Amino acid sequence: APAAPAAPAMKTLRKVMPVVRPHWVGDGFNVYPLFGSMAFTKEISPFLMLDYAAPKTFHATTQKRGVGQHPHRGFETVTMAFKGEVEHADSEGNRGIIGPGDVQWMTAASGIIHEEFHSTNFAKEGGVFEMVQLWVNLPAEHKMSPPSYQPILASSIPSVALPSSAGSVSVIAGAFAGVAGPARTFTPINMWTVTLKAGRAMTAPIPAGHTTVVFVRSGAVTTAGDGGGEGKARIVQGQISVFSREGESCELEAGEEGDAEVVVLSGMPIEEEIAARGPFVMNTKAELREAMEDYSSGRMGKHFKSTGR
């Protein structure tokens, strides 16, 4: 009889980042910088930064809470709302409100000025706020492309049931089990939100060569430790783990104590120099200077009338 095909090699855990201290971005986003010292390095490419606003109760107010107008160039910001609402406006005339399950994918590229606030409605009523913002790098050939904006509503994000009722995977970008997500990306990227039932496991197929990050929003998961099948590593709420680029699948198992909510990110690294300063991510220091000059001279977009209160 012909030999059974070999199972795809597993990606192994390389690093579990310690839980970090939060800081305020503006007055609306109390975020944990989950990549820590890996942010803006080739180790985490094509991703740059991952900020997590853990669930936090905000009291009702008539004030605008958030971050006022500021520029970006050379990358994309991806905002995933889990609880509460975020209101966005930018110099290209885009306006939008995202709520639970929605995603806003903003390609700054050659440059954009935008603002991010709690929505008027959410601020007025108050409540629990939880979101993630991921910065995704662009390759040099696309850094000066025109800016664009993808409002991705929860209703357009397909959900795939896992075998044996183990949970479900919502596909924002890339594909899972042959189901493609709605986001357009410049380089190969997978972005999934996963619900894994207590004690159940899943095998996530992820291409060899991809940087792979697993973020546990709630609950806990175990995965293969450094030695592959030998030993298990446990990743708890608020932690991220980074896996080897070798291997073609990632094994995750939810703890017995409850369901796990997990964000899985994978992407092909961009093998280019990273020059980052504040809101600009380019390839050279000269390009950073040019970005600052373009912003201060108004060539990166004009400041605009803010969304009202």
Side-chain angles (χ1 to χ4, degrees):
M10 297 288 295
K11 291 182 180 289
T12 56
L13 190 66
R14 283 194 39 245
K15 193 177 278 189
V16 177
M17 295 300 285
V19 176
V20 288
R21 292 174 69 97
H23 63 263
W24 283 94
V25 176
D27 61 0
F29 309 109
N30 187 37
V31 300
Y32 293 80
L34 297 179
F35 285 166
S37 60
M38 287 190 300
F40 302 99
T41 68
K42 289 185 176 178
E43 186 177 6
I44 207 75
S45 178
F47 311 115
L48 294 163
M49 185 185 89
L50 184 63
D51 275 352
Y52 176 51
K56 187 175 182 66
T57 301
F58 286 86
H59 298 298
T61 182
T62 53
Q63 301 285 298
K64 289 184 78 161
R65 283 200 188 108
V67 189
Q69 295 183 19
H70 58 283
H72 289 300
R73 172 180 279 180
F75 64 101
E76 305 184 284
T77 67
V78 182
T79 307
M80 309 160 76
F82 295 107
K83 292 176 180 150
E85 291 182 335
V86 184
E87 196 165 320
H88 162 97
D90 66 40
S91 53
E92 293 287 300
N94 298 304
R95 300 280 187 279
I97 294 175
I98 58 169
D102 298 338
V103 176
Q104 171 195 289
W105 199 296
M106 187 185 81
T107 304
S110 64
I112 202 165
I113 296 171
H114 80 143
E115 61 179 26
E116 302 157 283
F117 289 102
H118 294 183
S119 74
T120 309
N121 217 30
F122 178 77
K124 208 184 298 180
E125 293 180 6
V128 178
F129 186 84
E130 181 189 8
M131 58 148 253
V132 161
Q133 188 170 89
L134 172 72
W135 289 14
V136 179
N137 204 5
L138 288 171
E141 61 176 325
H142 295 303
K143 281 190 181 292
M144 295 301 283
S145 295
S148 63
Y149 176 76
Q150 301 176 69
I152 301 170
L153 298 181
S155 55
S156 71
I157 298 172
S159 179
V160 179
L162 290 169
S164 311
S165 306
S168 62
V169 176
S170 294
V171 187
I172 297 163
F176 181 86
V179 176
R184 297 186 310 277
T185 66
F186 285 84
T187 57
I189 286 172
N190 288 305
M191 182 183 294
W192 311 324
T193 55
V194 179
T195 301
L196 205 49
K197 300 278 177 62
R200 309 304 291 275
M202 72 174 286
T203 300
I206 295 171
H210 274 216
T211 299
T212 305
V213 175
V214 172
F215 166 51
V216 179
R217 269 185 60 222
S218 66
V221 297
T222 54
T223 186
D226 292 326
E230 303 303 310
K232 294 278 186 183
R234 185 173 155 89
I235 312 155
V236 299
Q237 182 167 3
Q239 281 188 319
I240 68 155
S241 53
V242 183
F243 289 78
S244 63
R245 288 179 179 159
E246 304 76 38
E248 295 175 357
S249 67
C250 197
E251 190 87 33
L252 302 173
E253 185 179 333
E256 294 288 351
E257 64 278 10
D259 295 356
E261 297 284 345
V262 176
V263 178
V264 177
L265 306 169
S266 86
M268 192 55 80
I270 297 168
E271 300 292 353
E272 296 174 356
E273 291 304 311
I274 298 167
R277 184 181 298 171
F280 308 127
V281 183
M282 303 303 290
N283 299 106
T284 67
K285 289 202 169 107
E287 288 167 341
L288 287 178
R289 283 194 295 275
E290 186 184 358
M292 285 180 252
E293 285 163 16
D294 286 353
Y295 172 58
S296 58
S297 67
R299 285 193 296 268
M300 200 174 281
K302 300 282 187 270
H303 286 273
F304 50 91
K305 189 176 186 312
S306 191
T307 52
R309 275 282 182 273

